Amino acid sequence: MKPNVQLLRKSRQYSEEFKKQIVADYESGEFSVAQLERLHGVSDQSIYNWIYKFSTFNEKGFRVVEMKDSSDKKMKEMEARIKELEAALGRKQIQVEYFEKMIELAKSELDIDIKKNYSTPQSTGSGKTKKK
């Protein structure tokens, strides 16, 4: 004999503050609905409902439509920009390592201390200058 089991509704309650934050993220253009859906685990229909309810740009009788291609294009552009910045960072890191090696060689082979040495006394300057 089967026990009497009731099905529990699988719905979540979100605070109004959370909903407004999602709408603000969407309106800022920082995230698309699809990105917000993946990021927060909220259905796209819920996000659209919140946009209709809380959006400052939404007027009654108008529908918000987001082109899936535009969000995909935006994501690809952002990924390309990240790769470009990572490459630039890599080049700068190589440059820093090169300069550090040059400083080390100048110190060891030419006995020139390029790095600032805090134990040395402060210079007295180049002498007196005439005022005009």
Side-chain angles (χ1 to χ4, degrees), residues 69-85:
D69 293 339
S70 67
S71 65
D72 289 340
K73 181 181 176 188
K74 189 176 185 180
M75 184 67 95
K76 287 179 183 175
E77 287 174 354
M78 292 174 86
E79 287 172 352
R81 179 73 175 140
I82 289 170
K83 285 182 183 178
E84 179 183 318
L85 291 172

Side-chain angles (χ1 to χ4, degrees), residues 100-114:
E100 286 177 354
K101 187 67 175 174
M102 292 300 294
I103 291 171
E104 184 183 310
L105 287 172
K107 174 73 174 153
S108 65
E109 292 183 13
L110 302 174
D111 199 30
I112 300 173
D113 189 16
I114 296 174

